Amino acid sequence: MNTDWRNDRIGSAHRGENPTVMRRLDQGFAVIGDRQFLPGYSVLLTDDPSVTRLSDLPRARRTAYLADMERLAEAVELACRRLDPAFRRVNIEILGNTDPYLHAHVWPRYDWEPEDLVRLPVWLYGEEYWRATGHELGARHEGLRTAIGEELDRLA
């Protein structure tokens, strides 16, 4: 994949150049994550890069963003449960400690995860999961990406 879109994830989504976009939602973009060590990892990007935190949004838009987040989380849950019987649950986080724009992480969790990590925050996974080859988004994730997109459509 071309890395240029990563420098402007939201702008490239608006321009139709962000290859991770699965669907345009009411207040943002549902994207599949760059790293797939937990298959189905997705992110809800705000559609306005100047919005840095949830409280920046007026109440109506804030509520709509949270509804989009819940819809993405349910879509990930339904798709991952259907495709992997070891699916456990989803974890949802709004952090904003690295990327300065509002975004929500949706992490599927599985029974096959290492026993010492399965009950901990995803961020405690080692560097090999975040940087090593083998976990990057690729063609092998198209079926999962399609399934999440279909669930997003069904939940609309």
Side-chain angles (χ1 to χ4, degrees), residues 20 27 74 89 109 115-116 140:
T20 65
Q27 293 296 312
E74 186 174 357
R89 69 180 68 251
R109 303 303 299 263
E115 188 175 331
D116 60 328
R140 68 188 178 284

Side-chain angles (χ1 to χ4, degrees), residues 22-143:
M22 294 183 286
R23 295 294 186 275
R24 173 69 160 103
L25 302 181
D26 185 43
Q27 293 296 312
F29 297 94
V31 303
I32 192 162
D34 300 2
R35 306 302 293 174
Q36 289 291 310
F37 60 88
L38 294 174
Y41 165 56
S42 299
V43 178
L44 176 63
L45 298 175
T46 181
D47 59 4
D48 181 350
S50 71
V51 174
T52 62
R53 59 184 55 88
L54 189 61
S55 59
D56 286 347
L57 295 172
R59 179 88 43 205
R61 287 192 59 210
R62 187 180 316 169
T63 301
Y65 182 86
L66 292 172
D68 283 351
M69 183 181 71
E70 183 278 330
R71 180 175 157 203
L72 177 57
E74 186 174 357
V76 168
E77 177 178 338
L78 292 169
C80 292
R81 182 186 304 139
R82 185 176 31 151
L83 296 172
D84 189 336
F87 173 79
R88 185 181 185 97
R89 69 180 68 251
V90 294
N91 294 164
I92 306 166
E93 301 175 302
I94 297 176
L95 301 171
N97 298 322
T98 302
D99 294 316
Y101 47 82
L102 176 63
H103 60 286
H105 301 271
V106 178
W107 290 101
R109 303 303 299 263
Y110 298 93
D111 288 333
W112 48 255
E113 291 179 57
E115 188 175 331
D116 60 328
L117 293 171
V118 70
R119 289 180 171 75
L120 298 175
V122 170
W123 307 106
L124 296 178
Y125 268 80
E127 189 70 21
E128 67 275 15
Y129 293 94
W130 299 98
R131 303 283 180 240
T133 59
H135 297 297
E136 63 277 353
L137 179 65
R140 68 188 178 284
H141 300 105
E142 282 305 311

